[in-house]
Amino acid sequence: MALNVIILAAGQGKRMYSVLPKVLHRLAGKPMLGHVIDAALKLQPTKVCAVYGHGGSTVPNAFENYVITWVKQEPQLGTGHAVMQTLPHLDEGGTTLILYGDVPLVTAETMRALLSIANQDKFALLTVKLEDPTGYGRIVRDNSGKILSIVEHKDATEAQRAINEVNTGIMAVPTEHLARWVSNLSNNNAQGEYYLTDIVAKAVDEGLAVEAHILTRAWESLGVNSKSQLAELERIHQRNIAEALMEKGVALADPARIDVRGNLVTGRDVFIDVNCIFEGEVALADHVTIGANCVLKNVKVQAGARIEPFCHLEDAVIGSTSRIGPYARIRPGTILAEDVHIGNFVEVKNSQIAAHSKANHLAYIGDATIGSNVNIGAGTITCNYDGANKYRTVIEDDVFIGSDTQLVAPVTVKRGATIGAGTTLTMEAPEGQLTLSRAKQVTINGWMRPLKKPKA
């Protein structure tokens, strides 16, 4: 049976005070609309139509990798008018699910529950009971509990405003009825808009059953109209993620101080300290420890590795039992084997480092291939860029690089070599030999430091 999904995402969002269309503001690192689309796609719909307006092509351009029918609403004359624009694009028959691009936390689980109620003879509404229903459309029922209509707050009587069951706006409607009802909407109301909610009364008039799925998790229905509300939903969403992680056995130093902006996969006995950010695809294997204030983006950390506080890792693989930081930066293209130590104020970029090697202090390793059991001394840098092109440094197994060494690429240090401290290496260092380059040390007798001239 056909399932159409309509996502209404045309609003300007004046209270956001931003040139960015409201639905493109980010929640957990992803546009709000992206959350809604991803949840909807889990239902495997036959057609997804997204209605855009404010911001023009900015909105569809942000989702060019999605298979979606984009429909422009111009002018914007309400939710009913928005749905009217999608009618020529819907697959006939089945059910149409209507969602909102600024209600990003609704889950696929809830959508499925709503759709389980709807069929060709039944109209399903997602409702929620709120302590303060101000601003929401009220669900009007008769004495037997049967739904009669939805009345918008501005059009409601005092008695109707006392109702605490409200419309979330999300509904599942028989497609053949939706087209007819929406085409006959009127804008005779306080806002002068075409209300989608008016189709409920039309369904009742035709004798079609209208039933509600009442949310128990009110946060799923929360929409965003301001930066403050966006921040509120961010914390709710992050708390939900934290709870899910802890259910899987992750130990969080403080569940209120973690931000996941992508997909975080964890093994057993993982510990995450406070104020850590995980972006993109991050995988933490068994017994991994992440210290405070770390940022990991598209990183795989293998079993038993330890990331000390204040480290920044991106597009990298960290080998098992390795130790990173504190204050280390691991840049894209880095692959570390097991038991590699990268210490404080060390930066590694686009390099492969084999097992048991270490760079413990104040070093830059860029575009390098480093063997096993290599020691990189403090202050060492690979000079990989000549101002136009980048070149590679190769350091073979069992090499010792003395402190304050410059390795001018392209250059190779052969197996077992030792490079003396302070060396600028421009040619291959032979296997098993000590190589160094230093200016002769001299002392100039009688030399005196210059003195400052007295001010006039």
Side-chain angles (χ1 to χ4, degrees):
M1 184 179 293
L3 172 60
N4 298 299
V5 175
I6 299 172
I7 305 174
L8 305 184
Q12 179 178 358
K14 292 181 180 179
R15 288 167 56 194
M16 299 297 285
Y17 295 100
S18 173
V19 295
L20 189 69
K22 179 169 67 170
V23 296
L24 295 187
H25 284 267
R26 292 182 175 269
L27 176 77
K30 181 166 67 177
M32 286 191 287
L33 178 55
H35 287 271
V36 181
I37 294 172
D38 287 342
L41 290 177
K42 292 178 181 178
L43 307 176
Q44 298 183 319
T46 53
K47 178 65 70 68
V48 177
C49 289
V51 181
Y52 71 101
H54 180 72
S57 60
T58 305
V59 175
N61 288 347
F63 299 95
E64 59 185 5
N65 293 328
Y66 287 79
V67 180
I68 294 174
T69 299
W70 293 95
V71 181
K72 190 171 185 179
Q73 182 191 18
E74 195 174 32
Q76 295 161 35
L77 303 175
T79 52
H81 179 257
V83 172
M84 287 180 203
Q85 314 311 305
T86 69
L87 296 180
H89 305 281
L90 301 181
D91 288 346
E92 295 181 359
T95 303
T96 296
L97 176 66
I98 299 173
L99 306 171
Y100 295 81
D102 60 356
V103 182
L105 298 187
V106 63
T107 64
E109 176 189 3
T110 291
M111 295 178 198
R112 289 190 186 99
L114 185 67
L115 288 167
S116 70
I117 298 172
N119 56 45
Q120 288 304 104
D121 301 312
K122 198 173 292 183
F123 183 145
L125 295 174
L126 187 65
T127 69
V128 65
K129 293 182 178 180
L130 301 177
E131 291 184 11
D132 180 9
T134 302
Y136 289 88
R138 306 306 201 275
I139 303 297
V140 179
R141 298 176 181 263
D142 65 15
N143 292 334
S144 66
K146 178 183 176 182
I147 294 176
L148 299 177
S149 64
I150 300 173
V151 179
E152 296 300 324
H153 180 88
K154 291 184 178 180
D155 300 311
T157 65
E158 286 302 314
Q160 289 169 336
R161 289 184 180 185
I163 298 170
N164 73 340
E165 184 184 7
V166 302
N167 175 41
T168 66
I170 296 172
M171 57 182 70
V173 190
T175 303
E176 62 177 307
H177 296 304
L178 177 68
R180 184 177 68 260
W181 294 332
V182 168
S183 298
N184 292 306
L185 287 175
S186 166
N187 66 344
N188 184 23
N189 51 60
Q191 292 289 91
E193 294 185 349
Y194 296 92
Y195 292 153
L196 180 62
T197 50
D198 287 348
I199 69 174
V200 174
K202 293 181 182 295
V204 171
D205 290 344
E206 293 184 13
L208 194 76
V210 179
E211 294 192 13
H213 174 69
I214 303 175
L215 271 175
T216 56
R217 301 179 299 199
W219 51 262
E220 287 194 54
S221 68
L222 294 177
V224 172
N225 291 302
S226 66
K227 298 286 180 61
S228 176
Q229 290 174 341
L230 181 60
E232 179 185 353
L233 264 65
E234 180 75 42
R235 293 326 324 148
I236 292 171
H237 184 58
Q238 294 298 340
R239 180 69 197 202
N240 291 340
I241 292 173
E243 292 287 350
L245 289 170
M246 291 187 290
E247 285 294 320
K248 294 177 181 177
V250 177
L252 301 178
D254 184 350
R257 289 188 285 171
I258 180 175
D259 281 87
V260 179
R261 302 170 186 173
N263 185 39
L264 175 59
V265 178
T266 56
R268 291 179 177 272
D269 297 307
V270 169
F271 173 76
I272 300 173
D273 212 328
V274 300
N275 300 327
C276 291
I277 299 173
F278 301 92
E279 299 184 45
E281 297 293 326
V282 177
L284 309 179
D286 296 349
H287 305 288
V288 164
T289 296
I290 308 295
N293 303 292
C294 289
V295 178
L296 281 72
K297 181 177 181 180
N298 298 322
V299 173
K300 292 182 180 179
V301 184
Q302 296 175 351
R306 184 179 186 91
I307 313 299
E308 301 290 354
F310 296 98
C311 291
H312 193 295
L313 293 75
E314 180 178 0
D315 293 308
V317 176
I318 307 302
S320 60
T321 68
S322 291
R323 181 166 178 168
I324 310 299
Y327 296 99
R329 185 180 180 195
I330 308 298
R331 292 173 57 191
T334 296
I335 300 176
L336 307 183
E338 65 174 316
D339 187 38
V340 171
H341 290 194
I342 302 296
N344 46 285
F345 305 105
V346 175
E347 179 179 353
V348 184
K349 169 248 176 187
N350 191 32
S351 296
Q352 294 77 51
I353 303 179
H356 315 300
S357 292
K358 57 186 179 181
N360 280 330
H361 319 279
L362 299 162
Y364 170 67
I365 302 168
D367 299 295
T369 301
I370 298 177
S372 61
N373 296 300
V374 171
N375 181 84
I376 306 292
T380 295
I381 63 171
T382 57
C383 306
N384 56 324
Y385 183 53
D386 65 2
N389 300 295
K390 292 185 178 180
Y391 300 93
R392 200 148 193 90
T393 296
V394 176
I395 302 174
E396 296 183 354
D397 297 345
D398 301 310
V399 166
F400 183 95
I401 306 291
S403 298
D404 196 30
T405 293
Q406 298 86 48
L407 302 161
V408 182
V411 71
T412 298
V413 182
K414 302 296 286 185
R415 181 185 181 92
T418 298
I419 308 300
T423 293
T424 299
L425 190 72
T426 58
M427 296 182 292
E428 180 178 294
E431 180 175 340
Q433 302 294 314
L434 170 64
T435 299
L436 71 162
S437 64
R438 295 176 185 162
K440 182 180 179 180
Q441 180 173 317
V442 296
T443 300
I444 302 174
N445 294 324
W447 180 86
M448 295 182 64
R449 293 180 184 173
L451 301 175
K452 289 185 179 180
K453 295 180 180 179
K455 294 182 180 180

